[in-house]
Amino acid sequence: MNVSFDSDGVTLAGNLFLPEGVERAPGVVVAGTWTSVKELMADRYAQRLAERGFAALSFDFTGFGASGGEPREVENPARKVRDIRHAAGFLAAHPAVEGDGVGALGICAAAMYMADAAAHDPRVTSLALVAPWLHDAAICEAAYGGAAAVAEKIKAGREARSRYDETGEIDYVPVVSATDPRAAMPYAIDFYLDPARGGIPAWPNRFAVMAWPDWLTYDSIALASRITQPTLLVHSQDAAIPDGARRFHTGLAGPKDILWTQGTQFDFYDQEPQVTVSADTVAAHFRRTLR
């Protein structure tokens, strides 16, 4: 069902997937990759969790998809964490949800934001991360071509922010492009470019350059020591930055588990068997730990 809720004065649009045949079920908030809208992968995982007995909420973050908020398509970690906390509050209070807390499922970059929410919000009582992108400064340098390249992106982002503050104009580049070297991911990534997969009209494939400083200076690895909730990671050595997943898992302060399976990063978004393996493993984790 379509739902909406408030996040500090912004109306966020979501989809609440409910299991059949039960009046109340444990609740799980689901979110996907950076720049994504709920239709890319959050809906898919939320539906799979509903089929496995959970009330699962997917939603568009502030400034993305069908949600309100300006400026649009700005990858702002702090704002996204705030949205997750409002989503958790909305879901926990919903009459279809049982229990005192909710689970949090993050796919790719949302792993960082869900981890941040778990570190600071006691309503999140169980955490699961699928193909998690978890970075700190060292990982960003390795992923983005070294310290000089990172510094150049941060400089460009600060200049774009100043331009926005002065003029209201937003400098956008593609999220994914095989031909534009300015793209946030300058590669031919089939998931994002194929209209039958992620290249859908609801996702405009644009990245606000002013987002680079917040993204590149965000330290999610440091969050692990503050997370005492039961936490599960599902990842692959062939997916994105497995070293970040290992380091994060090692640093977790509470009960933890990690499943190493097969597949590329993008397989976990919409391909089999990765989606089913992940959904089954996550559902089992939430059955054991959600309270």
Side-chain angles (χ1 to χ4, degrees), residues 148-187:
V150 168
E152 185 61 31
K153 281 182 166 55
I154 290 174
K155 178 175 179 288
R158 288 174 176 160
E159 291 172 350
R161 179 71 203 200
S162 295
R163 193 156 50 248
Y164 170 73
D165 289 341
E166 293 169 4
T167 69
E169 297 178 1
I170 304 173
D171 184 9
Y172 289 111
V173 296
V175 178
V176 175
S177 174
T179 58
D180 189 340
R182 302 178 306 150
M185 294 187 284
Y187 316 107

PDB file of all heavy atoms in Angstrom, residues 148-187:
ATOM      1  N   ALA A 148      44.670  12.462  -4.095  1.00  0.00           N
ATOM      2  CA  ALA A 148      44.550  13.663  -4.929  1.00  0.00           C
ATOM      3  C   ALA A 148      43.214  13.701  -5.648  1.00  0.00           C
ATOM      4  O   ALA A 148      42.583  14.767  -5.758  1.00  0.00           O
ATOM      5  CB  ALA A 148      45.698  13.710  -5.930  1.00  0.00           C
ATOM      6  N   ALA A 149      42.768  12.558  -6.140  1.00  0.00           N
ATOM      7  CA  ALA A 149      41.485  12.510  -6.838  1.00  0.00           C
ATOM      8  C   ALA A 149      40.335  12.802  -5.887  1.00  0.00           C
ATOM      9  O   ALA A 149      39.367  13.495  -6.249  1.00  0.00           O
ATOM     10  CB  ALA A 149      41.298  11.140  -7.492  1.00  0.00           C
ATOM     11  N   VAL A 150      40.414  12.276  -4.671  1.00  0.00           N
ATOM     12  CA  VAL A 150      39.391  12.564  -3.668  1.00  0.00           C
ATOM     13  C   VAL A 150      39.376  14.050  -3.345  1.00  0.00           C
ATOM     14  O   VAL A 150      38.302  14.681  -3.269  1.00  0.00           O
ATOM     15  CB  VAL A 150      39.616  11.721  -2.402  1.00  0.00           C
ATOM     16  CG1 VAL A 150      38.741  12.216  -1.256  1.00  0.00           C
ATOM     17  CG2 VAL A 150      39.326  10.252  -2.685  1.00  0.00           C
ATOM     18  N   ALA A 151      40.544  14.618  -3.152  1.00  0.00           N
ATOM     19  CA  ALA A 151      40.628  16.046  -2.843  1.00  0.00           C
ATOM     20  C   ALA A 151      40.045  16.896  -3.967  1.00  0.00           C
ATOM     21  O   ALA A 151      39.377  17.922  -3.706  1.00  0.00           O
ATOM     22  CB  ALA A 151      42.089  16.442  -2.580  1.00  0.00           C
ATOM     23  N   GLU A 152      40.256  16.487  -5.205  1.00  0.00           N
ATOM     24  CA  GLU A 152      39.706  17.229  -6.343  1.00  0.00           C
ATOM     25  C   GLU A 152      38.183  17.169  -6.350  1.00  0.00           C
ATOM     26  O   GLU A 152      37.505  18.170  -6.630  1.00  0.00           O
ATOM     27  CB  GLU A 152      40.272  16.669  -7.646  1.00  0.00           C
ATOM     28  CG  GLU A 152      39.852  17.446  -8.886  1.00  0.00           C
ATOM     29  CD  GLU A 152      40.324  18.885  -8.861  1.00  0.00           C
ATOM     30  OE1 GLU A 152      41.385  19.165  -8.275  1.00  0.00           O
ATOM     31  OE2 GLU A 152      39.611  19.742  -9.425  1.00  0.00           O
ATOM     32  N   LYS A 153      37.621  16.003  -6.036  1.00  0.00           N
ATOM     33  CA  LYS A 153      36.162  15.881  -5.974  1.00  0.00           C
ATOM     34  C   LYS A 153      35.589  16.727  -4.836  1.00  0.00           C
ATOM     35  O   LYS A 153      34.539  17.362  -4.984  1.00  0.00           O
ATOM     36  CB  LYS A 153      35.757  14.407  -5.791  1.00  0.00           C
ATOM     37  CG  LYS A 153      35.795  13.591  -7.075  1.00  0.00           C
ATOM     38  CD  LYS A 153      35.341  12.158  -6.821  1.00  0.00           C
ATOM     39  CE  LYS A 153      35.031  11.424  -8.112  1.00  0.00           C
ATOM     40  NZ  LYS A 153      36.131  11.416  -9.068  1.00  0.00           N
ATOM     41  N   ILE A 154      36.255  16.721  -3.703  1.00  0.00           N
ATOM     42  CA  ILE A 154      35.794  17.531  -2.579  1.00  0.00           C
ATOM     43  C   ILE A 154      35.848  19.020  -2.941  1.00  0.00           C
ATOM     44  O   ILE A 154      34.914  19.782  -2.644  1.00  0.00           O
ATOM     45  CB  ILE A 154      36.632  17.233  -1.323  1.00  0.00           C
ATOM     46  CG1 ILE A 154      36.310  15.823  -0.809  1.00  0.00           C
ATOM     47  CG2 ILE A 154      36.370  18.271  -0.233  1.00  0.00           C
ATOM     48  CD1 ILE A 154      37.181  15.367   0.344  1.00  0.00           C
ATOM     49  N   LYS A 155      36.916  19.427  -3.604  1.00  0.00           N
ATOM     50  CA  LYS A 155      37.042  20.825  -4.042  1.00  0.00           C
ATOM     51  C   LYS A 155      35.913  21.188  -5.005  1.00  0.00           C
ATOM     52  O   LYS A 155      35.271  22.241  -4.868  1.00  0.00           O
ATOM     53  CB  LYS A 155      38.398  21.034  -4.703  1.00  0.00           C
ATOM     54  CG  LYS A 155      38.641  22.436  -5.245  1.00  0.00           C
ATOM     55  CD  LYS A 155      40.062  22.565  -5.765  1.00  0.00           C
ATOM     56  CE  LYS A 155      40.341  23.945  -6.328  1.00  0.00           C
ATOM     57  NZ  LYS A 155      39.646  24.148  -7.635  1.00  0.00           N
ATOM     58  N   ALA A 156      35.645  20.317  -5.982  1.00  0.00           N
ATOM     59  CA  ALA A 156      34.570  20.575  -6.939  1.00  0.00           C
ATOM     60  C   ALA A 156      33.216  20.638  -6.231  1.00  0.00           C
ATOM     61  O   ALA A 156      32.355  21.466  -6.573  1.00  0.00           O
ATOM     62  CB  ALA A 156      34.549  19.484  -8.008  1.00  0.00           C
ATOM     63  N   GLY A 157      33.033  19.774  -5.246  1.00  0.00           N
ATOM     64  CA  GLY A 157      31.785  19.779  -4.500  1.00  0.00           C
ATOM     65  C   GLY A 157      31.585  21.054  -3.709  1.00  0.00           C
ATOM     66  O   GLY A 157      30.467  21.599  -3.663  1.00  0.00           O
ATOM     67  N   ARG A 158      32.644  21.540  -3.078  1.00  0.00           N
ATOM     68  CA  ARG A 158      32.530  22.784  -2.311  1.00  0.00           C
ATOM     69  C   ARG A 158      32.261  23.974  -3.228  1.00  0.00           C
ATOM     70  O   ARG A 158      31.480  24.877  -2.877  1.00  0.00           O
ATOM     71  CB  ARG A 158      33.797  22.983  -1.487  1.00  0.00           C
ATOM     72  CG  ARG A 158      33.890  22.005  -0.316  1.00  0.00           C
ATOM     73  CD  ARG A 158      35.208  22.092   0.415  1.00  0.00           C
ATOM     74  NE  ARG A 158      35.208  21.203   1.585  1.00  0.00           N
ATOM     75  CZ  ARG A 158      36.289  20.764   2.186  1.00  0.00           C
ATOM     76  NH1 ARG A 158      37.499  21.137   1.748  1.00  0.00           N
ATOM     77  NH2 ARG A 158      36.204  19.959   3.236  1.00  0.00           N
ATOM     78  N   GLU A 159      32.879  23.975  -4.389  1.00  0.00           N
ATOM     79  CA  GLU A 159      32.614  25.048  -5.354  1.00  0.00           C
ATOM     80  C   GLU A 159      31.169  24.991  -5.840  1.00  0.00           C
ATOM     81  O   GLU A 159      30.511  26.033  -5.982  1.00  0.00           O
ATOM     82  CB  GLU A 159      33.575  24.940  -6.530  1.00  0.00           C
ATOM     83  CG  GLU A 159      35.013  25.270  -6.158  1.00  0.00           C
ATOM     84  CD  GLU A 159      35.991  24.964  -7.288  1.00  0.00           C
ATOM     85  OE1 GLU A 159      35.564  24.324  -8.287  1.00  0.00           O
ATOM     86  OE2 GLU A 159      37.178  25.343  -7.169  1.00  0.00           O
ATOM     87  N   ALA A 160      30.664  23.783  -6.076  1.00  0.00           N
ATOM     88  CA  ALA A 160      29.275  23.629  -6.508  1.00  0.00           C
ATOM     89  C   ALA A 160      28.309  24.071  -5.414  1.00  0.00           C
ATOM     90  O   ALA A 160      27.270  24.665  -5.695  1.00  0.00           O
ATOM     91  CB  ALA A 160      29.008  22.180  -6.902  1.00  0.00           C
ATOM     92  N   ARG A 161      28.665  23.789  -4.153  1.00  0.00           N
ATOM     93  CA  ARG A 161      27.814  24.217  -3.046  1.00  0.00           C
ATOM     94  C   ARG A 161      27.790  25.735  -2.941  1.00  0.00           C
ATOM     95  O   ARG A 161      26.722  26.341  -2.716  1.00  0.00           O
ATOM     96  CB  ARG A 161      28.322  23.613  -1.736  1.00  0.00           C
ATOM     97  CG  ARG A 161      27.506  24.026  -0.524  1.00  0.00           C
ATOM     98  CD  ARG A 161      26.149  23.368  -0.528  1.00  0.00           C
ATOM     99  NE  ARG A 161      25.188  24.115   0.260  1.00  0.00           N
ATOM    100  CZ  ARG A 161      24.061  23.598   0.740  1.00  0.00           C
ATOM    101  NH1 ARG A 161      23.765  22.322   0.511  1.00  0.00           N
ATOM    102  NH2 ARG A 161      23.215  24.328   1.415  1.00  0.00           N
ATOM    103  N   SER A 162      28.923  26.363  -3.095  1.00  0.00           N
ATOM    104  CA  SER A 162      28.974  27.827  -3.055  1.00  0.00           C
ATOM    105  C   SER A 162      28.138  28.430  -4.165  1.00  0.00           C
ATOM    106  O   SER A 162      27.411  29.416  -3.959  1.00  0.00           O
ATOM    107  CB  SER A 162      30.426  28.315  -3.170  1.00  0.00           C
ATOM    108  OG  SER A 162      31.181  27.915  -2.041  1.00  0.00           O
ATOM    109  N   ARG A 163      28.209  27.825  -5.353  1.00  0.00           N
ATOM    110  CA  ARG A 163      27.421  28.313  -6.477  1.00  0.00           C
ATOM    111  C   ARG A 163      25.930  28.168  -6.189  1.00  0.00           C
ATOM    112  O   ARG A 163      25.133  29.055  -6.498  1.00  0.00           O
ATOM    113  CB  ARG A 163      27.822  27.529  -7.737  1.00  0.00           C
ATOM    114  CG  ARG A 163      27.318  28.114  -9.029  1.00  0.00           C
ATOM    115  CD  ARG A 163      28.176  27.684 -10.214  1.00  0.00           C
ATOM    116  NE  ARG A 163      28.399  26.258 -10.253  1.00  0.00           N
ATOM    117  CZ  ARG A 163      29.593  25.677 -10.052  1.00  0.00           C
ATOM    118  NH1 ARG A 163      30.648  26.420  -9.768  1.00  0.00           N
ATOM    119  NH2 ARG A 163      29.727  24.367 -10.134  1.00  0.00           N
ATOM    120  N   TYR A 164      25.550  27.040  -5.581  1.00  0.00           N
ATOM    121  CA  TYR A 164      24.142  26.836  -5.232  1.00  0.00           C
ATOM    122  C   TYR A 164      23.695  27.862  -4.196  1.00  0.00           C
ATOM    123  O   TYR A 164      22.603  28.452  -4.314  1.00  0.00           O
ATOM    124  CB  TYR A 164      23.932  25.420  -4.706  1.00  0.00           C
ATOM    125  CG  TYR A 164      22.561  25.207  -4.108  1.00  0.00           C
ATOM    126  CD1 TYR A 164      21.440  25.113  -4.924  1.00  0.00           C
ATOM    127  CD2 TYR A 164      22.395  25.117  -2.722  1.00  0.00           C
ATOM    128  CE1 TYR A 164      20.174  24.931  -4.377  1.00  0.00           C
ATOM    129  CE2 TYR A 164      21.143  24.927  -2.167  1.00  0.00           C
ATOM    130  CZ  TYR A 164      20.031  24.837  -2.994  1.00  0.00           C
ATOM    131  OH  TYR A 164      18.782  24.661  -2.454  1.00  0.00           O
ATOM    132  N   ASP A 165      24.523  28.110  -3.178  1.00  0.00           N
ATOM    133  CA  ASP A 165      24.158  29.068  -2.135  1.00  0.00           C
ATOM    134  C   ASP A 165      24.005  30.478  -2.698  1.00  0.00           C
ATOM    135  O   ASP A 165      23.151  31.258  -2.241  1.00  0.00           O
ATOM    136  CB  ASP A 165      25.223  29.069  -1.030  1.00  0.00           C
ATOM    137  CG  ASP A 165      25.203  27.794  -0.199  1.00  0.00           C
ATOM    138  OD1 ASP A 165      24.184  27.082  -0.222  1.00  0.00           O
ATOM    139  OD2 ASP A 165      26.235  27.508   0.457  1.00  0.00           O
ATOM    140  N   GLU A 166      24.820  30.801  -3.701  1.00  0.00           N
ATOM    141  CA  GLU A 166      24.802  32.149  -4.258  1.00  0.00           C
ATOM    142  C   GLU A 166      23.717  32.339  -5.310  1.00  0.00           C
ATOM    143  O   GLU A 166      23.125  33.415  -5.405  1.00  0.00           O
ATOM    144  CB  GLU A 166      26.168  32.472  -4.864  1.00  0.00           C
ATOM    145  CG  GLU A 166      27.287  32.570  -3.836  1.00  0.00           C
ATOM    146  CD  GLU A 166      28.653  32.635  -4.474  1.00  0.00           C
ATOM    147  OE1 GLU A 166      28.724  32.687  -5.734  1.00  0.00           O
ATOM    148  OE2 GLU A 166      29.657  32.632  -3.739  1.00  0.00           O
ATOM    149  N   THR A 167      23.473  31.305  -6.091  1.00  0.00           N
ATOM    150  CA  THR A 167      22.581  31.456  -7.256  1.00  0.00           C
ATOM    151  C   THR A 167      21.360  30.536  -7.254  1.00  0.00           C
ATOM    152  O   THR A 167      20.425  30.761  -8.026  1.00  0.00           O
ATOM    153  CB  THR A 167      23.357  31.188  -8.553  1.00  0.00           C
ATOM    154  OG1 THR A 167      23.692  29.785  -8.624  1.00  0.00           O
ATOM    155  CG2 THR A 167      24.634  32.017  -8.621  1.00  0.00           C
ATOM    156  N   GLY A 168      21.383  29.489  -6.433  1.00  0.00           N
ATOM    157  CA  GLY A 168      20.298  28.510  -6.478  1.00  0.00           C
ATOM    158  C   GLY A 168      20.453  27.491  -7.588  1.00  0.00           C
ATOM    159  O   GLY A 168      19.604  26.598  -7.735  1.00  0.00           O
ATOM    160  N   GLU A 169      21.526  27.590  -8.353  1.00  0.00           N
ATOM    161  CA  GLU A 169      21.758  26.653  -9.451  1.00  0.00           C
ATOM    162  C   GLU A 169      22.505  25.419  -8.946  1.00  0.00           C
ATOM    163  O   GLU A 169      23.461  25.541  -8.170  1.00  0.00           O
ATOM    164  CB  GLU A 169      22.563  27.321 -10.569  1.00  0.00           C
ATOM    165  CG  GLU A 169      21.846  28.493 -11.226  1.00  0.00           C
ATOM    166  CD  GLU A 169      22.689  29.162 -12.285  1.00  0.00           C
ATOM    167  OE1 GLU A 169      23.831  28.702 -12.514  1.00  0.00           O
ATOM    168  OE2 GLU A 169      22.223  30.154 -12.868  1.00  0.00           O
ATOM    169  N   ILE A 170      22.068  24.257  -9.415  1.00  0.00           N
ATOM    170  CA  ILE A 170      22.666  22.992  -8.991  1.00  0.00           C
ATOM    171  C   ILE A 170      23.446  22.396 -10.151  1.00  0.00           C
ATOM    172  O   ILE A 170      22.925  22.269 -11.265  1.00  0.00           O
ATOM    173  CB  ILE A 170      21.587  21.997  -8.519  1.00  0.00           C
ATOM    174  CG1 ILE A 170      20.746  22.620  -7.403  1.00  0.00           C
ATOM    175  CG2 ILE A 170      22.223  20.694  -8.045  1.00  0.00           C
ATOM    176  CD1 ILE A 170      19.562  21.784  -7.003  1.00  0.00           C
ATOM    177  N   ASP A 171      24.693  22.056  -9.879  1.00  0.00           N
ATOM    178  CA  ASP A 171      25.546  21.410 -10.883  1.00  0.00           C
ATOM    179  C   ASP A 171      25.332  19.905 -10.802  1.00  0.00           C
ATOM    180  O   ASP A 171      25.706  19.273  -9.808  1.00  0.00           O
ATOM    181  CB  ASP A 171      27.007  21.769 -10.606  1.00  0.00           C
ATOM    182  CG  ASP A 171      27.952  21.225 -11.663  1.00  0.00           C
ATOM    183  OD1 ASP A 171      27.477  20.722 -12.697  1.00  0.00           O
ATOM    184  OD2 ASP A 171      29.182  21.283 -11.437  1.00  0.00           O
ATOM    185  N   TYR A 172      24.734  19.343 -11.845  1.00  0.00           N
ATOM    186  CA  TYR A 172      24.486  17.905 -11.890  1.00  0.00           C
ATOM    187  C   TYR A 172      25.398  17.242 -12.911  1.00  0.00           C
ATOM    188  O   TYR A 172      25.724  17.824 -13.954  1.00  0.00           O
ATOM    189  CB  TYR A 172      23.036  17.610 -12.300  1.00  0.00           C
ATOM    190  CG  TYR A 172      21.995  17.945 -11.268  1.00  0.00           C
ATOM    191  CD1 TYR A 172      21.112  19.005 -11.470  1.00  0.00           C
ATOM    192  CD2 TYR A 172      21.855  17.198 -10.104  1.00  0.00           C
ATOM    193  CE1 TYR A 172      20.133  19.311 -10.543  1.00  0.00           C
ATOM    194  CE2 TYR A 172      20.870  17.501  -9.166  1.00  0.00           C
ATOM    195  CZ  TYR A 172      20.015  18.561  -9.395  1.00  0.00           C
ATOM    196  OH  TYR A 172      19.050  18.850  -8.469  1.00  0.00           O
ATOM    197  N   VAL A 173      25.789  16.017 -12.601  1.00  0.00           N
ATOM    198  CA  VAL A 173      26.455  15.136 -13.558  1.00  0.00           C
ATOM    199  C   VAL A 173      25.693  13.813 -13.535  1.00  0.00           C
ATOM    200  O   VAL A 173      24.906  13.561 -12.616  1.00  0.00           O
ATOM    201  CB  VAL A 173      27.940  14.915 -13.200  1.00  0.00           C
ATOM    202  CG1 VAL A 173      28.711  16.227 -13.282  1.00  0.00           C
ATOM    203  CG2 VAL A 173      28.083  14.282 -11.824  1.00  0.00           C
ATOM    204  N   PRO A 174      25.898  12.932 -14.508  1.00  0.00           N
ATOM    205  CA  PRO A 174      25.229  11.632 -14.432  1.00  0.00           C
ATOM    206  C   PRO A 174      25.728  10.828 -13.234  1.00  0.00           C
ATOM    207  O   PRO A 174      26.883  10.946 -12.820  1.00  0.00           O
ATOM    208  CB  PRO A 174      25.629  10.946 -15.749  1.00  0.00           C
ATOM    209  CG  PRO A 174      26.040  12.055 -16.664  1.00  0.00           C
ATOM    210  CD  PRO A 174      26.650  13.099 -15.772  1.00  0.00           C
ATOM    211  N   VAL A 175      24.853  10.009 -12.691  1.00  0.00           N
ATOM    212  CA  VAL A 175      25.313   9.027 -11.709  1.00  0.00           C
ATOM    213  C   VAL A 175      26.177   7.988 -12.413  1.00  0.00           C
ATOM    214  O   VAL A 175      27.275   7.666 -11.981  1.00  0.00           O
ATOM    215  CB  VAL A 175      24.120   8.340 -11.006  1.00  0.00           C
ATOM    216  CG1 VAL A 175      24.636   7.286 -10.019  1.00  0.00           C
ATOM    217  CG2 VAL A 175      23.240   9.344 -10.303  1.00  0.00           C
ATOM    218  N   VAL A 176      25.657   7.485 -13.540  1.00  0.00           N
ATOM    219  CA  VAL A 176      26.337   6.448 -14.315  1.00  0.00           C
ATOM    220  C   VAL A 176      26.409   6.876 -15.766  1.00  0.00           C
ATOM    221  O   VAL A 176      25.407   7.329 -16.344  1.00  0.00           O
ATOM    222  CB  VAL A 176      25.593   5.102 -14.209  1.00  0.00           C
ATOM    223  CG1 VAL A 176      26.240   4.057 -15.117  1.00  0.00           C
ATOM    224  CG2 VAL A 176      25.563   4.613 -12.768  1.00  0.00           C
ATOM    225  N   SER A 177      27.574   6.752 -16.367  1.00  0.00           N
ATOM    226  CA  SER A 177      27.725   7.023 -17.797  1.00  0.00           C
ATOM    227  C   SER A 177      28.967   6.314 -18.315  1.00  0.00           C
ATOM    228  O   SER A 177      30.012   6.320 -17.651  1.00  0.00           O
ATOM    229  CB  SER A 177      27.844   8.525 -18.061  1.00  0.00           C
ATOM    230  OG  SER A 177      28.124   8.766 -19.438  1.00  0.00           O
ATOM    231  N   ALA A 178      28.837   5.737 -19.488  1.00  0.00           N
ATOM    232  CA  ALA A 178      29.983   5.106 -20.131  1.00  0.00           C
ATOM    233  C   ALA A 178      30.786   6.105 -20.945  1.00  0.00           C
ATOM    234  O   ALA A 178      31.886   5.786 -21.422  1.00  0.00           O
ATOM    235  CB  ALA A 178      29.506   3.965 -21.024  1.00  0.00           C
ATOM    236  N   THR A 179      30.268   7.344 -21.116  1.00  0.00           N
ATOM    237  CA  THR A 179      30.912   8.318 -21.996  1.00  0.00           C
ATOM    238  C   THR A 179      31.295   9.623 -21.303  1.00  0.00           C
ATOM    239  O   THR A 179      32.123  10.364 -21.837  1.00  0.00           O
ATOM    240  CB  THR A 179      29.982   8.647 -23.178  1.00  0.00           C
ATOM    241  OG1 THR A 179      28.743   9.159 -22.670  1.00  0.00           O
ATOM    242  CG2 THR A 179      29.709   7.400 -24.012  1.00  0.00           C
ATOM    243  N   ASP A 180      30.708   9.915 -20.153  1.00  0.00           N
ATOM    244  CA  ASP A 180      30.976  11.182 -19.472  1.00  0.00           C
ATOM    245  C   ASP A 180      31.926  10.939 -18.306  1.00  0.00           C
ATOM    246  O   ASP A 180      31.539  10.337 -17.291  1.00  0.00           O
ATOM    247  CB  ASP A 180      29.661  11.788 -18.966  1.00  0.00           C
ATOM    248  CG  ASP A 180      29.837  13.210 -18.451  1.00  0.00           C
ATOM    249  OD1 ASP A 180      30.977  13.592 -18.123  1.00  0.00           O
ATOM    250  OD2 ASP A 180      28.831  13.941 -18.354  1.00  0.00           O
ATOM    251  N   PRO A 181      33.159  11.409 -18.390  1.00  0.00           N
ATOM    252  CA  PRO A 181      34.130  11.151 -17.311  1.00  0.00           C
ATOM    253  C   PRO A 181      33.779  11.857 -16.011  1.00  0.00           C
ATOM    254  O   PRO A 181      34.339  11.528 -14.961  1.00  0.00           O
ATOM    255  CB  PRO A 181      35.453  11.671 -17.892  1.00  0.00           C
ATOM    256  CG  PRO A 181      35.049  12.685 -18.915  1.00  0.00           C
ATOM    257  CD  PRO A 181      33.767  12.186 -19.494  1.00  0.00           C
ATOM    258  N   ARG A 182      32.872  12.838 -16.050  1.00  0.00           N
ATOM    259  CA  ARG A 182      32.474  13.531 -14.823  1.00  0.00           C
ATOM    260  C   ARG A 182      31.485  12.721 -14.005  1.00  0.00           C
ATOM    261  O   ARG A 182      31.193  13.081 -12.850  1.00  0.00           O
ATOM    262  CB  ARG A 182      31.843  14.877 -15.167  1.00  0.00           C
ATOM    263  CG  ARG A 182      32.720  15.842 -15.961  1.00  0.00           C
ATOM    264  CD  ARG A 182      31.922  17.099 -16.270  1.00  0.00           C
ATOM    265  NE  ARG A 182      30.664  16.741 -16.945  1.00  0.00           N
ATOM    266  CZ  ARG A 182      29.536  17.441 -16.847  1.00  0.00           C
ATOM    267  NH1 ARG A 182      29.489  18.529 -16.096  1.00  0.00           N
ATOM    268  NH2 ARG A 182      28.457  17.063 -17.500  1.00  0.00           N
ATOM    269  N   ALA A 183      30.922  11.651 -14.573  1.00  0.00           N
ATOM    270  CA  ALA A 183      29.890  10.878 -13.883  1.00  0.00           C
ATOM    271  C   ALA A 183      30.392  10.373 -12.543  1.00  0.00           C
ATOM    272  O   ALA A 183      31.582  10.083 -12.361  1.00  0.00           O
ATOM    273  CB  ALA A 183      29.443   9.712 -14.752  1.00  0.00           C
ATOM    274  N   ALA A 184      29.463  10.254 -11.591  1.00  0.00           N
ATOM    275  CA  ALA A 184      29.829   9.724 -10.276  1.00  0.00           C
ATOM    276  C   ALA A 184      30.370   8.306 -10.398  1.00  0.00           C
ATOM    277  O   ALA A 184      31.271   7.908  -9.652  1.00  0.00           O
ATOM    278  CB  ALA A 184      28.625   9.766  -9.345  1.00  0.00           C
ATOM    279  N   MET A 185      29.817   7.527 -11.321  1.00  0.00           N
ATOM    280  CA  MET A 185      30.331   6.197 -11.657  1.00  0.00           C
ATOM    281  C   MET A 185      30.534   6.166 -13.172  1.00  0.00           C
ATOM    282  O   MET A 185      29.600   5.863 -13.915  1.00  0.00           O
ATOM    283  CB  MET A 185      29.362   5.108 -11.178  1.00  0.00           C
ATOM    284  CG  MET A 185      29.238   5.030  -9.677  1.00  0.00           C
ATOM    285  SD  MET A 185      28.241   3.621  -9.067  1.00  0.00           S
ATOM    286  CE  MET A 185      26.572   4.213  -9.427  1.00  0.00           C
ATOM    287  N   PRO A 186      31.743   6.512 -13.651  1.00  0.00           N
ATOM    288  CA  PRO A 186      31.975   6.611 -15.094  1.00  0.00           C
ATOM    289  C   PRO A 186      32.259   5.255 -15.737  1.00  0.00           C
ATOM    290  O   PRO A 186      33.326   5.009 -16.287  1.00  0.00           O
ATOM    291  CB  PRO A 186      33.198   7.534 -15.171  1.00  0.00           C
ATOM    292  CG  PRO A 186      33.937   7.256 -13.903  1.00  0.00           C
ATOM    293  CD  PRO A 186      32.904   6.958 -12.867  1.00  0.00           C
ATOM    294  N   TYR A 187      31.269   4.394 -15.677  1.00  0.00           N
ATOM    295  CA  TYR A 187      31.402   3.039 -16.200  1.00  0.00           C
ATOM    296  C   TYR A 187      30.097   2.637 -16.883  1.00  0.00           C
ATOM    297  O   TYR A 187      29.028   3.184 -16.600  1.00  0.00           O
ATOM    298  CB  TYR A 187      31.693   2.033 -15.071  1.00  0.00           C
ATOM    299  CG  TYR A 187      32.716   2.487 -14.079  1.00  0.00           C
ATOM    300  CD1 TYR A 187      32.335   2.883 -12.798  1.00  0.00           C
ATOM    301  CD2 TYR A 187      34.074   2.545 -14.404  1.00  0.00           C
ATOM    302  CE1 TYR A 187      33.264   3.309 -11.872  1.00  0.00           C
ATOM    303  CE2 TYR A 187      35.011   2.973 -13.479  1.00  0.00           C
ATOM    304  CZ  TYR A 187      34.602   3.360 -12.214  1.00  0.00           C
ATOM    305  OH  TYR A 187      35.528   3.790 -11.303  1.00  0.00           O
TER     306      TYR A 187
END
